[in-house]
Amino acid sequence: MSREQRVSRWYFGGIGSAMACCCTHPLDLLKVQLQTQQEGKVSVVQLTVNIVKKQGVRALYNGLSASLLRQLTYSTTRFGIYESVKQVMDKDSSFASRVALAAFAGSCGGLVGTPADKINVRMQNDIKLPLEKRLNYKHALEGLWRVYRDEGFARLFSGATAATFRAALMTVGQLSFYDQIKKTLLTTDYFQDNLTTHFVSSLSAGAIATTLTQPLDVLKTRTMNAKPGEFKGMWDIILYTAKLGPLGFFKGYVPAFVRLAPQTILTFVFLEQLRFNFGILPPQDKE
């Protein structure tokens, strides 16, 4: 069978996302730190220099274990559901149906990945806190255990509402738009199913996903980083963020895009290479 005919196995998305996050983790860390500061206008460059100067380059990879755990739960779930259902759908199914599928898959992934996402946010934010206030999780699994032991099981899923909505929008922006843009490009005489098409499609999908998700990403980060009892609920966090003005909901947009664009590009490039080399025949072709 030709490489182009192959389809992804359900777990390829999780593997591709985990591989991509190893490359983009420092950008994710910078994004989280910018989103959790309420005052001041520290630039991305200043923040990077401060971290490296005070704590060394390795500090930029703080929380990598949680980031990997998040991708292996969140992305494996959303990609797994989306790819599995898409492969049995009619090839002529509408874009709207793929958007609905992506939203459902993303919601499931967001819920499943919330505990790891919470630990990821805390570990990335830890390095900017005073020494006496740091949580000092050794790795993601210890972080999960300490939250469960010290704060209760429910705290593992604090921020799940924002995370679920964000994941739904993220998956719509990434998966359904990637498929649609790629499909459109392949109908022209200028593109083939190769790295160039994958790059253009994933870059466009990354820009769309960043714009759709940034307000919820800010709220999710603040919710997960909050101390118990700091906010009464989501509306309280919205009002707190609104004090910064409308742009407060897009705080960290530049590092978010700078991080998400490479993350999206690398994820789909890795995914397509896994599909080309280790993919399987579509269900209808097997018959």
Side-chain angles (χ1 to χ4, degrees):
M1 70 181 164
S2 68
R3 299 170 72 194
E4 290 76 11
Q5 289 178 319
R6 298 180 181 183
V7 296
S8 297
R9 297 180 187 272
W10 67 269
Y11 51 84
F12 281 179
I15 295 175
S17 297
M19 293 168 67
C21 89
C22 291
C23 304
T24 61
H25 184 77
L27 296 170
D28 194 33
L29 180 142
L30 295 172
K31 179 205 70 173
V32 167
Q33 293 210 11
L34 286 172
Q35 288 178 341
T36 53
Q37 66 178 6
Q38 182 68 4
E39 298 177 356
K41 295 183 178 179
V42 179
S43 69
V44 177
V45 175
Q46 290 174 317
L47 184 58
T48 305
V49 171
N50 289 340
I51 292 173
V52 173
K53 185 183 296 184
K54 294 178 181 178
Q55 303 179 57
V57 176
R58 289 183 61 185
L60 293 173
Y61 281 88
N62 198 52
L64 179 59
S65 64
S67 186
L68 285 170
L69 180 61
R70 176 176 178 267
Q71 294 300 338
L72 292 174
T73 52
Y74 156 68
S75 285
T76 300
T77 300
R78 67 190 184 116
F79 271 94
I81 293 174
Y82 183 83
E83 289 293 335
S84 297
V85 176
K86 184 184 75 173
Q87 289 170 17
V88 298
M89 290 173 65
D90 188 339
K91 288 184 178 180
D92 297 323
S93 59
S94 67
F95 175 59
S97 64
R98 292 196 298 276
V99 167
L101 172 59
F104 173 73
S107 298
C108 295
L111 182 61
V112 171
T114 294
D117 199 5
K118 182 183 186 68
I119 302 304
N120 184 40
V121 167
R122 287 189 172 189
M123 290 181 73
Q124 290 179 352
N125 193 58
D126 218 27
I127 62 174
K128 82 174 187 181
L129 299 175
L131 290 175
E132 66 277 6
K133 292 185 178 180
R134 292 183 184 178
L135 296 168
N136 294 317
Y137 297 150
K138 294 178 182 178
H139 48 73
L141 296 180
E142 187 201 26
L144 291 173
W145 167 248
R146 283 175 55 183
V147 172
Y148 171 75
R149 181 191 66 190
D150 300 336
E151 303 174 38
F153 178 78
R155 284 292 294 175
L156 287 170
F157 288 89
S158 68
T161 301
T164 299
F165 278 114
R166 175 190 178 276
L169 292 174
M170 177 68 72
T171 307
V172 167
Q174 286 184 324
L175 275 64
S176 59
F177 273 92
Y178 175 83
D179 280 348
Q180 185 63 32
I181 294 169
K182 177 184 171 184
K183 182 179 179 181
T184 302
L185 292 177
L186 291 177
T187 60
T188 71
D189 297 327
Y190 306 103
F191 292 90
Q192 297 178 341
D193 195 359
N194 55 24
L195 183 60
T196 300
T197 302
H198 303 159
F199 178 84
V200 173
S201 302
S202 56
L203 177 62
S204 303
I208 294 169
T210 303
T211 305
L212 288 175
T213 61
Q214 191 61 14
L216 281 171
D217 195 34
V218 171
L219 296 176
K220 173 189 72 79
T221 299
R222 288 183 178 272
T223 301
M224 292 180 171
N225 194 54
K227 300 178 179 63
E230 184 176 355
F231 297 107
K232 296 178 182 178
M234 181 57 69
W235 184 246
D236 197 21
I237 297 175
I238 292 173
L239 292 177
Y240 181 75
T241 306
K243 293 178 181 178
L244 298 171
L247 293 181
F249 292 97
F250 288 88
K251 195 160 189 152
Y253 182 90
V254 173
F257 175 72
V258 170
R259 173 256 172 187
L260 188 59
Q263 170 77 23
T264 303
I265 292 168
L266 289 172
T267 294
F268 282 108
V269 166
F270 289 141
L271 176 63
E272 295 284 13
Q273 289 304 309
L274 287 168
R275 176 176 70 86
F276 275 167
N277 293 286
F278 306 103
I280 56 177
L281 279 172
Q284 58 268 30
D285 290 347
K286 288 181 179 179
E287 296 174 2

